[in-house]
Amino acid sequence: MPAPTPRLLAISLLATVVGVAAAPAHAQDSERSDRLTLRLSAFNPEAQLRFTGDGVATNGTDTEDFFASETFDVGSKWRPRGAFDFRMSDRQSLVGNYYDYERTNAWGFDGDWLNPGGLLEGIDLPDDIPTDPVQVPAVDLSGKVKFSLASLNYEYSVVSTEAFEWGLGLGVTYAQLEARANGSWTATDEIDAGDAEYQWKKSGWSPGLHTRLTWRPTDQWRVGVEGQYLDTEWGDFLDERGHFERAGLVVEYLINDRIGVHVGYDWFRLKLKDDYSARFEGAADMDIDPVDVNGQLGGQLKVHGPMAGVTFRF
């Protein structure tokens, strides 16, 4: 059976919401016998990586402000996702979530010829900068981004009625970030062939905030909205300043008392920032004062997409 497309999931979700809104509002919460709800889903997230940098550069006499940004669409891929809800009492629950994102991309450059003298025409160049065309090697690059997150939250229902619940909670979140890049280049008359590898990996724990709204308009239908938030300075997740936000929507139809199906949409974002400083010295034979740079670097990983799966209630 082929995986449902994002457009099909979106249409199904819209039809489900319309059907729920048109249904009579009644539920029998008092007759609920389930203690554990388990949702197993297929999640099709798209991801974006955004990098920003701003700062001030000065040579002691002149000062210049600058800002730069770049956004990369990493693409989408089906991933497993899981969630559970264990009811300890009518108002108390343990809520868990797990999801991840993993994507590998590759880029290639076939090589070319570059004329530095032509690009810098009119500028008095040092003798060691060539004015004739030079060969730029062919380059192959590959990169991998991986992100996984698991959370466990204690939730207390501030509002609890037959058809509607609103819960607030505290919990812990475990997150893991990994980035890897590999590159290789061919030989030219000026340089030898070579390769390089870069890998960065970080994981840790952090306390977090949690909230959830649940609407049960009929015995068969469930509509839930869930949100999470954590600050990276609360735990040992990352040294950089930043925060994590998540929001999710799930619409569920119970086929019987124990089994149901659901569709939904999940969104989360990790934003990081850090201060930096650097000094650039001019070449010995060039009359250029050192340039001091101070600023802030920022990064953002945003992941969002539809999901669909099966619900089990025990």
Side-chain angles (χ1 to χ4, degrees), residues 219-294:
D219 294 342
Q220 287 78 34
W221 290 100
R222 303 286 188 272
V223 180
V225 179
E226 189 174 357
Q228 289 177 271
Y229 178 87
L230 66 85
D231 193 291
T232 57
E233 295 182 338
W234 292 350
D236 65 351
F237 175 34
L238 290 169
D239 297 329
E240 294 80 7
R241 302 186 309 275
H243 60 267
F244 170 82
E245 306 161 303
R246 175 192 165 245
L249 168 69
V250 61
V251 180
E252 181 178 273
Y253 178 78
L254 298 178
I255 300 173
N256 55 44
D257 291 341
R258 301 302 177 193
I259 299 177
V261 293
H262 62 265
V263 294
Y265 200 89
D266 224 305
W267 173 94
F268 54 86
R269 178 175 64 180
L270 176 66
K271 297 185 71 174
L272 301 172
K273 58 183 178 181
D274 203 4
D275 298 325
Y276 73 94
S277 61
R279 165 167 280 208
F280 299 94
E281 302 280 354
D285 56 349
M286 300 181 69
D287 186 19
I288 299 178
D289 294 329
V291 177
D292 294 311
V293 180
N294 295 279

Side-chain angles (χ1 to χ4, degrees), residues 9-295:
L9 289 176
I11 294 174
S12 301
L13 178 59
L14 178 61
T16 301
V17 172
V18 172
V20 170
H26 70 278
Q28 48 185 20
D29 182 73
S30 60
E31 298 181 8
R32 290 174 61 192
S33 60
D34 57 293
R35 277 288 186 185
L36 176 65
T37 299
L38 177 64
R39 294 187 181 94
L40 302 178
S41 313
F43 182 35
N44 187 30
E46 297 180 359
Q48 281 186 339
L49 280 170
R50 177 175 173 81
F51 300 98
T52 60
D54 62 73
V56 178
T58 179
N59 62 359
T61 303
D62 299 319
T63 300
E64 186 72 26
D65 297 331
F66 63 89
F67 175 80
S69 66
E70 189 68 43
T71 301
F72 302 92
D73 291 319
V74 186
S76 62
K77 183 179 181 179
W78 285 98
R79 301 295 301 168
R81 189 196 184 297
F84 75 87
D85 175 5
F86 177 69
R87 289 197 311 127
M88 298 182 293
S89 68
D90 291 340
R91 287 183 178 265
Q92 300 180 87
S93 298
L94 287 177
V95 181
N97 280 277
Y98 172 82
Y99 39 92
D100 67 8
Y101 178 82
E102 181 178 326
R103 187 68 177 176
T104 301
N105 281 343
W107 303 268
F109 174 67
D110 293 334
D112 204 347
W113 288 85
L114 180 65
N115 186 350
L119 293 174
L120 304 175
E121 186 175 358
I123 300 177
D124 187 15
L125 298 174
D127 295 337
D128 56 348
I129 295 183
T131 57
D132 296 327
V134 296
Q135 186 179 5
V136 179
V139 178
D140 290 316
L141 296 174
S142 63
K144 178 180 180 180
V145 176
K146 186 175 181 180
F147 175 77
S148 58
L149 190 113
S151 63
L152 179 64
N153 293 277
Y154 166 80
E155 177 185 287
Y156 181 81
S157 295
V158 180
V159 177
S160 181
T161 67
E162 291 185 352
F164 182 80
E165 286 186 49
W166 174 36
L168 297 175
L170 295 172
V172 292
T173 298
Y174 173 80
Q176 184 178 84
L177 276 169
E178 181 179 355
R180 182 182 302 171
N182 296 279
S184 62
W185 55 91
T186 59
T188 68
D189 294 339
E190 289 80 19
I191 64 172
D192 296 326
D195 59 76
E197 180 178 349
Y198 170 79
Q199 184 172 0
W200 179 85
K201 187 175 182 180
K202 183 70 175 181
S203 62
W205 296 84
S206 177
L209 304 175
H210 165 87
T211 186
R212 183 174 59 160
L213 300 173
T214 303
W215 179 38
R216 293 184 294 273
T218 71
D219 294 342
Q220 287 78 34
W221 290 100
R222 303 286 188 272
V223 180
V225 179
E226 189 174 357
Q228 289 177 271
Y229 178 87
L230 66 85
D231 193 291
T232 57
E233 295 182 338
W234 292 350
D236 65 351
F237 175 34
L238 290 169
D239 297 329
E240 294 80 7
R241 302 186 309 275
H243 60 267
F244 170 82
E245 306 161 303
R246 175 192 165 245
L249 168 69
V250 61
V251 180
E252 181 178 273
Y253 178 78
L254 298 178
I255 300 173
N256 55 44
D257 291 341
R258 301 302 177 193
I259 299 177
V261 293
H262 62 265
V263 294
Y265 200 89
D266 224 305
W267 173 94
F268 54 86
R269 178 175 64 180
L270 176 66
K271 297 185 71 174
L272 301 172
K273 58 183 178 181
D274 203 4
D275 298 325
Y276 73 94
S277 61
R279 165 167 280 208
F280 299 94
E281 302 280 354
D285 56 349
M286 300 181 69
D287 186 19
I288 299 178
D289 294 329
V291 177
D292 294 311
V293 180
N294 295 279

